[in-house]
Amino acid sequence: MLTLTSVWTTILLAAAVALGPLATDMYLPALPQIGSDFGTGTDQVQLTLSLYLAGFAIAQLVCGPLADRFGRKPIMIGGFVLFALASLGCALATNIETLQVCRFLQALGGSAGPVLGRAAIRDIYTPREAAKILAILASIMAVAPAVAPTIGGVLVTGLGWSSIFIALGVYALIMAVVIAYGIPEPMRPEHRQPLKPRALLRNYRHIITDVSFLGYSLTNAAIFAGLFAFLSGSSFVLIDFLGVDPRHFGLYSACVVAGFIIGNLTAVRLGRNLLTDQILVRGLMIAVAGGTAMAILAYQEIYNIWAVILPQALFMIGTGMVLPQTMAGALANFPTMAGSASALFGFIQMTFAAVAGGLVGHFHDGTSLVMASIIAVCAAIAMACYLILVQRHPAPGFEPQGASTR
């Protein structure tokens, strides 16, 4: 069994967290085909994404406190098994309603990986160290959305869209075994919290009223919502509107993910000389520039693949710099209830993402205009949350240069 600080433990946690993006990105090339097979519209197909995020958000509020009581490993293992069973249900679905229900159930299990992976990092490392480790973890994890659409495109072309869910179920079962036998329990016994409704509500009230937590969480959620707006609309824009072959969809997605990896690696490198706040504001400025550029091109009716991909890649560079800093900042004040804090953080993040995805699906006009506009608005909201909340209430050790601690 590996040690907690081993690089292989970080890789395994990244693989566990990657189940989330795999469950969304791998079947993106299949969305138009699912709509065609079930004879339903874009809004109903896109609802399989929004319902997944809604289930993901709700489940985190439960699995976080459970993990604070019983430990990270048993909850992660149980979640992966549930995810595998729901994936089988998705593969066997014969109508869009069944697929939507199974996607919701899939999310209930899949939430355990990301929420408890973040909590495990907070268990093992200090807040400043956690920001660097989360950036490294995000870089490793970014391999999943880079290759997932390509794999999904090949599967849907060769074997049909149901094969994607079979592959996801097999991956989840493998991760359950790896977590069970590969790493020790990261949570310290003395940090276990009582599983009582009143205590849970008290913990959540304590967390949500922390202005620092709220600032980092809202900044993160707004940026993540912009990312999910792209995930929700990209297959319809690129495949249906711009004529990209589903087998090539993953190649363009890889360009976008490359931006995310560049942002992660840039954050790690800048972390040697800059404070967390300085990295965060630079990332937000880049994300705003990317989102604004895509919206302007769309409003000018400049419709081509690179008018979508290049601005989104720029947005993703900023996103790759922002997400690790905001994750670490949100959890910094809660070493003894990292699971609950991570769960509430994830709930806020996924709720914003579900709303953004729903808006893209509902208002989609057949072009990139709606998707681009929502991405730009999300980036602007993230910057506003930073200026109003984070800059005035930074987490301990994350203060801007010259600022005093709270």
Side-chain angles (χ1 to χ4, degrees):
M1 188 169 282
L2 300 170
T3 61
L4 287 174
T5 54
S6 166
V7 65
W8 288 106
T9 298
T10 301
I11 292 173
L12 288 179
L13 289 174
V17 175
L19 187 63
L22 279 174
T24 54
D25 294 2
M26 189 178 286
Y27 94 125
L28 290 179
L31 293 180
Q33 184 61 54
I34 291 172
S36 176
D37 287 354
F38 289 149
T40 190
T42 299
D43 57 338
Q44 289 299 308
V45 177
Q46 194 281 329
L47 193 57
T48 63
L49 281 170
S50 292
L51 282 174
Y52 180 86
L53 285 188
F56 209 94
I58 294 169
Q60 289 185 83
L61 295 178
V62 178
C63 74
L66 286 175
D68 280 343
R69 174 63 182 87
F70 299 107
R72 314 306 185 202
K73 286 181 57 174
I75 307 305
M76 290 180 77
I77 294 167
F80 289 146
V81 172
L82 175 58
F83 180 96
L85 293 174
S87 297
L88 179 60
C90 290
L92 298 176
T94 57
N95 54 64
I96 192 66
E97 292 80 13
T98 301
L99 181 61
Q100 290 168 348
V101 170
C102 289
R103 282 288 285 171
F104 183 81
L105 295 175
Q106 194 183 42
L108 298 183
S111 66
V115 67
L116 300 183
R118 289 192 300 263
I121 293 298
R122 181 62 186 90
D123 291 332
I124 300 168
Y125 299 98
T126 65
R128 289 294 296 274
E129 292 172 337
K132 297 177 183 178
I133 297 298
L134 284 168
I136 295 171
L137 184 145
S139 298
I140 299 170
M141 192 181 72
V143 174
V147 302
T150 301
I151 295 173
V154 171
L155 288 174
V156 72
T157 302
L159 300 174
W161 58 264
S162 61
S163 63
I164 295 173
F165 293 106
I166 293 174
L168 286 171
V170 170
Y171 181 90
L173 289 177
I174 292 172
M175 286 311 306
V177 174
V178 168
I179 294 296
Y181 298 103
I183 62 174
E185 171 60 52
M187 185 182 184
R188 298 178 183 179
E190 63 271 20
H191 285 173
R192 298 196 177 220
Q193 299 289 314
L195 191 62
K196 299 177 181 179
R198 183 174 297 179
L200 294 181
L201 291 175
R202 184 172 61 249
N203 287 348
Y204 277 136
R205 184 171 62 249
H206 173 63
I207 295 167
I208 198 65
T209 54
D210 185 284
V211 179
S212 174
F213 170 85
L214 200 59
Y216 286 107
S217 297
L218 292 176
T219 302
N220 177 288
I223 283 290
F224 191 81
L227 164 59
F228 199 80
F230 177 78
L231 294 178
S232 297
S234 59
S235 60
F236 298 104
V237 169
L238 295 178
I239 296 174
D240 286 350
F241 178 53
L242 298 175
V244 171
D245 189 299
R247 291 172 295 181
H248 301 152
F249 177 81
L251 298 178
Y252 294 107
S253 296
C255 295
V256 173
V257 174
F260 186 70
I261 296 174
I262 291 170
N264 289 150
L265 296 179
T266 300
V268 173
R269 185 174 183 83
L270 292 178
R272 301 170 186 169
N273 301 310
L274 297 180
L275 298 172
T276 301
D277 177 81
Q278 295 171 315
I279 300 171
L280 179 54
V281 72
R282 283 165 171 77
L284 286 169
M285 291 171 66
I286 293 171
V288 168
T292 302
M294 190 193 299
I296 290 174
L297 290 171
Y299 274 104
Q300 294 297 316
E301 297 186 354
I302 300 175
Y303 295 132
N304 64 69
I305 294 170
W306 297 111
V308 174
I309 296 300
L310 292 181
Q312 183 63 20
L314 184 62
F315 175 87
M316 291 299 285
I317 291 174
T319 300
M321 296 173 66
V322 168
L323 293 188
Q325 319 307 318
T326 50
M327 287 179 191
L331 303 184
N333 286 336
F334 308 103
T336 63
M337 55 180 79
S340 296
S342 181
L344 192 54
F345 173 89
F347 175 81
I348 295 170
Q349 181 190 67
M350 291 300 172
T351 299
F352 270 57
V355 171
L359 290 174
V360 170
H362 183 74
F363 292 106
H364 178 60
D365 64 349
T367 73
S368 61
L369 181 59
V370 171
M371 181 184 74
S373 300
I374 291 174
I375 292 171
V377 169
C378 288
I381 292 174
M383 178 62 84
C385 290
Y386 166 79
L387 293 173
I388 296 171
L389 296 172
V390 173
Q391 196 172 49
R392 298 179 182 179
H393 302 275
F398 284 49
E399 296 86 355
Q401 200 163 18
S404 59
T405 58
R406 289 181 294 142

